[in-house]
Amino acid sequence: MRRPYIAANWKMMKNLAETEEFINSFIPLVAGISDVDILIAPPFTSLSIASHLLLPTNIKLGAQNMHYEENGAYTGEISADMLLFAGCSTVIIGHSERRQYFNETDEIVNKKIKTAKKKGLEVILCVGESLEERESGRTFGVLDKQLAGSLKDISMDGVTVAYEPIWAIGTGRTATPEIANETHGYIREWLNKNKGNAGSVRIQYGGSVKPENISELMAQSEIDGALVGGASLKPESFANIIKGAKK
Ligand code: PEP
């Protein structure tokens, strides 16, 4: 049985004070929930305060990105060691916004995952197709390419896959649970074929997940959790997603 795993991606939202306010309200809302893994990925500037506040809980802390080099003259970048020292257990890699606005290729994503794993960070790898790719019947081909490139020479221990159809991110348009499940099934088949037994790998769905649709998504056999953007920004909303995520 795969444990449900719900992650918050705050993107470039919430300063230090807002992070503190969110976490102080959020912790009591999810106290006592022990059968769902919870992760919060705030901006880099909020990692330290979040780490401090989350320390007495079992809520995990994640970063939204990192550099693949271990250190050096890379102005503005953050290393895996820096994330570990800031209290992160996990890093999100290959989010479609990184791919789209910062030219992250599968090759770069692959290098980042290798460094993250070498340093002991868990990874959430994001993959997903655009609307045009889905409408022209290329979804599975796009996923093949992203998975093969991003996961080249990488074993799946410590890696979660987040399937995020780009057309569903921040648009209010969710993939139907059936479409999401079919695509998750395809990803699991790919993993089984190319990475050995992938039965224990968790595959999150991401794209306009909210308290109202989490239960029907989680009712699908291949959906093990969610990566949540907009609806993770309010403590009640994110807590209600977690409460609705039980299998
Ligand atoms: C995301 O940022 O990964 C995401 C899925 O965003 P939203 O939930 O807002 O669609």
Side-chain angles (χ1 to χ4, degrees):
M1 228 307 266
R2 296 180 294 267
R3 243 171 101 80
Y5 184 8
I6 305 293
N9 171 18
W10 286 356
K11 312 191 183 194
M12 199 170 71
M13 283 171 271
K14 292 199 190 295
N15 61 27
L16 205 118
E18 291 162 341
T19 298
E20 190 170 9
E21 197 186 338
F22 177 105
I23 292 178
N24 283 334
S25 314
F26 178 69
I27 289 174
L29 299 178
V30 294
I33 297 180
S34 56
D35 47 2
V36 177
D37 286 340
I38 307 169
L39 176 130
I40 296 176
F44 292 132
T45 47
S46 288
L47 288 175
S48 276
I49 184 80
S51 168
H52 172 73
L53 295 169
L54 294 176
L55 205 59
T57 76
N58 53 12
I59 301 166
K60 304 199 297 181
L61 182 66
Q64 301 170 19
N65 181 34
M66 56 166 256
H67 199 279
Y68 54 78
E69 291 293 348
E70 293 187 23
N71 54 55
Y74 300 100
T75 301
E77 289 294 334
I78 303 279
S79 73
D81 277 336
M82 291 170 190
L83 298 183
L84 286 163
F85 273 90
C88 291
S89 64
T90 306
V91 58
I92 299 170
I93 295 183
H95 192 279
S96 61
E97 287 152 15
R98 301 285 324 161
R99 294 176 188 261
Q100 189 178 351
Y101 305 129
F102 302 96
N103 304 319
E104 258 183 38
T105 60
D106 292 324
E107 196 186 347
I108 294 171
V109 169
N110 180 255
K111 285 190 196 173
K112 290 186 175 189
I113 299 176
K114 281 182 177 150
T115 306
K117 287 195 63 170
K118 178 179 165 198
K119 292 291 179 177
L121 283 164
E122 293 185 358
V123 169
I124 296 177
L125 162 66
C126 301
V127 294
E129 81 287 0
S130 66
L131 185 59
E132 192 249 319
E133 287 162 344
R134 175 158 286 271
E135 287 181 339
S136 57
R138 287 184 288 142
T139 298
F140 294 160
V142 168
L143 292 173
D144 283 349
K145 188 170 164 294
Q146 289 178 342
L147 291 165
S150 305
L151 292 171
K152 187 166 183 279
D153 301 325
I154 287 170
S155 61
M156 293 308 291
D157 53 294
V159 180
T160 295
V161 177
Y163 167 60
E164 299 209 304
I166 296 168
W167 47 272
I169 298 178
T171 58
R173 190 177 160 177
T174 323
T176 63
E178 293 74 23
I179 286 181
N181 198 51
E182 182 199 26
T183 317
H184 281 222
Y186 182 82
I187 293 170
R188 193 169 308 283
E189 236 175 72
W190 188 96
L191 293 172
N192 275 327
K193 207 158 45 174
N194 294 281
K195 297 287 167 189
N197 185 355
S200 62
V201 176
R202 289 185 288 189
I203 306 176
Q204 297 172 322
Y205 169 77
S208 299
V209 172
K210 37 189 188 272
E212 295 76 28
N213 60 21
I214 186 67
S215 302
E216 52 175 2
L217 287 163
M218 292 300 288
Q220 303 292 320
S221 59
E222 292 298 335
I223 299 183
D224 307 317
L227 181 54
V228 188
S232 73
L233 294 168
K234 295 235 164 66
E236 298 74 22
S237 159
F238 190 47
N240 286 334
I241 289 174
I242 290 155
K243 288 174 189 159
K246 297 187 181 163
K247 275 286 191 189

